Amino acid sequence: MDNYVKLHSCSSVDEILPLLLEEKDVIVIIDSKVKKLYGEVFPYPQIEFEATEKNKSLTQVGKLTEQLLEKGANRDSFILAVGGGITTDIAGFTASVYFRGIRFAFVPTTLLAQVDASIGGKNGINSNGYKNIIGTINQPQFTVMCSSFLKTLPEEDFKGGVAEMLKTFVIGEKKSYFKAVEILKKTNKISDIYPFIVRAAAIKAAIVEKDMYETDERKLLNLGHTFAHAIEKESGMAHGHAVSAGIVLAAKLSVKLSFLKEDEAQMIKNNFKELGLNTESPVPVSYLMNAISRDKKRLRDTITFILIKEIGNCFKHPIHIAKLEEALYDLS
Ligand SMILES: NC(=O)c1ccc[n+]([C@@H]2O[C@H](COP(=O)([O-])OP(=O)(O)OC[C@H]3O[C@@H](n4cnc5c(N)ncnc54)[C@H](O)[C@@H]3O)[C@@H](O)[C@H]2O)c1
């Protein structure tokens, strides 16, 4: 059977358009900041929007839909999303519901979107203060990861992407974790880091292929995310930075529950610090607990956490909310 997660990687934007040669009616949904930098790479009608978490909303989906109608988009149209994770999420969602679903593809332009958000077909939008609470699981026709976009990425966004990339290695590949940390300590040169980006994307794709609807192994990709979503909700911190703090908290919790050695948790924290990643949550435990209690991964009184046994080996572990609260107060 054909793989349904189709990834292409390239180093030049010239390699993107040949992938669309068969398409007769491409419409681009693009982050307005990215349009200024790279809009002319895409010779198709474009709909731009301001890529903010506030705009990852049903209201914005309505606006995009109106503009698609104005541009005459129909069942045979093809949406190309160009931007970071906010853009791939909302464009993927819009394409999934417009005319009950039309085909789409992703051109992720941030590191975070290349290693994570553009892979796996989760197209989420925010509502009522909750992250990604409305959404679809629907695969893009393809994702094309082009390293040349990353040259203009602000440092803070780059670090957020590094956090998601290392997350994938903590889950699934010890060797790549240590190699990536070693290289990243020495350089931010995209050509040196790119093999790790491609590797992290491939690991995520392989997990999604096995469990598209997240009934089992795909849950591992949520390492650090229960904490991260709570931190984002309570502090407004950007996703990638909340993820690095979330992984550090998940490591501490793994130690507290006697699954992970303390020095390994400390090493993760030290590595993240050395790479300039965020390792602290600015949110008090009571606020974290409040947000976690409403997390969509909660089932009655328990929540399934992803814990770390060792770098490269994570597992699912249901925890009673009361026990979690007790452990978190001890950790803080
Ligand atoms: N669907 C999924 O599986 C999944 C997984 C992880 C994260 N996400 C979502 O992804 C979002 C975060 O993604 P993100 O970090 O890419 O955020 P983003 O889309 O906000 O992009 C970050 C910033 O970089 C700018 N930017 C984008 N490309 C650029 C470029 N090449 N050069 C210069 N600036 C550029 C954007 O305008 C923005 O200011 C969150 O909403 C998160 O929930 C989704």
Side-chain angles (χ1 to χ4, degrees):
M1 200 176 86
D2 251 12
N3 291 3
Y4 51 75
V5 181
K6 298 207 182 328
L7 300 182
H8 300 271
S9 52
C10 61
S11 55
S12 159
V13 292
D14 297 340
E15 293 174 56
I16 300 172
L17 295 190
L19 298 168
L20 292 154
L21 280 180
E22 305 274 294
E23 296 304 331
K24 295 188 177 52
D25 185 23
V26 178
I27 298 181
V28 172
I29 295 182
I30 187 165
D31 170 345
S32 49
K33 223 159 139 192
V34 175
K35 181 176 166 73
K36 284 199 189 86
L37 293 164
Y38 302 106
E40 58 195 33
V41 169
F42 305 95
Y44 307 109
Q46 299 189 357
I47 298 172
E48 63 177 290
F49 80 109
E50 200 191 339
T52 58
E53 285 295 336
K54 188 166 173 283
N55 279 349
K56 213 174 89 169
S57 64
L58 275 179
T59 310
Q60 186 64 42
V61 172
K63 288 182 188 164
L64 295 175
T65 302
E66 277 165 30
Q67 291 181 73
L68 284 168
L69 284 168
E70 273 165 27
K71 293 202 184 307
N74 59 33
R75 269 190 197 90
D76 299 323
S77 301
F78 187 98
I79 290 181
L80 189 69
V82 183
I86 289 181
T87 307
T88 54
D89 270 4
I90 195 167
F93 181 82
T94 306
S96 301
V97 294
Y98 186 76
F99 273 67
R100 300 194 189 89
I102 63 174
R103 290 168 316 125
F104 61 102
F106 291 152
V107 180
T109 60
T110 63
L111 175 54
L112 187 145
Q114 294 196 355
V115 294
D116 197 357
S118 68
I119 302 163
K122 276 192 189 177
N123 311 297
I125 56 170
N126 308 326
S127 184
N128 207 17
Y130 292 100
K131 285 267 304 171
N132 303 326
I133 199 80
I134 299 173
T136 61
I137 294 188
N138 187 20
Q139 301 298 329
Q141 298 295 308
F142 60 82
T143 290
V144 51
M145 304 145 57
C146 185
S147 58
S148 72
F149 293 119
L150 303 180
K151 290 177 188 138
T152 52
L153 199 60
E155 195 184 343
E156 284 308 298
D157 292 300
F158 187 79
K159 285 180 185 163
V162 167
E164 288 278 18
M165 183 172 87
L166 293 181
K167 176 204 77 178
T168 304
F169 296 144
V170 172
I171 294 165
E173 205 162 71
K174 189 175 187 167
K175 182 179 73 185
S176 292
Y177 174 86
F178 286 109
K179 263 260 141 296
V181 168
E182 186 191 319
I183 302 280
L184 283 159
K185 278 188 199 167
K186 290 191 210 141
T187 180
N188 268 355
K189 211 166 132 205
I190 301 298
S191 54
D192 290 342
I193 299 164
Y194 208 60
F196 296 99
I197 299 175
V198 173
R199 183 66 197 141
I203 292 173
K204 175 164 182 185
I207 293 175
V208 172
E209 286 281 349
K210 281 190 242 160
D211 179 23
M212 178 155 78
Y213 292 104
E214 199 172 300
T215 56
D216 187 23
E217 191 178 340
R218 186 169 181 176
K219 288 189 183 16
L220 296 178
L221 292 166
N222 293 325
L223 173 66
H225 277 60
T226 300
F227 290 126
H229 286 161
I231 294 169
E232 278 180 85
K233 180 173 175 346
E234 296 299 326
S235 71
M237 187 182 275
H239 183 73
H241 299 283
V243 166
S244 52
I247 295 170
V248 170
L249 271 171
K252 283 187 185 173
L253 185 62
S254 307
V255 173
K256 174 89 192 144
L257 300 176
S258 307
F259 293 115
L260 176 70
K261 290 195 192 112
E262 188 156 6
D263 54 355
E264 194 146 334
Q266 193 57 46
M267 184 175 61
I268 294 173
K269 186 172 178 179
N270 291 345
N271 290 158
F272 282 17
K273 263 194 177 157
E274 279 174 273
L275 298 178
L277 308 188
N278 177 39
T279 56
E280 305 291 339
S281 159
V283 181
V285 171
S286 57
Y287 285 65
L288 270 188
M289 277 313 302
N290 190 27
I292 288 171
S293 307
R294 294 160 192 231
D295 192 283
K296 56 186 181 309
K297 290 181 280 303
R298 179 180 168 181
L299 188 65
R300 297 196 184 84
D301 287 335
T302 58
I303 185 152
T304 297
F305 259 84
I306 306 307
L307 297 180
I308 308 170
K309 226 173 246 169
E310 59 174 323
I311 292 170
N313 184 0
C314 291
F315 64 104
K316 297 178 274 135
H317 185 70
I319 305 181
H320 195 277
I321 291 283
K323 191 170 177 202
L324 175 67
E325 185 160 15
E326 194 189 305
L328 281 186
Y329 274 110
D330 279 358
L331 295 180
S332 63

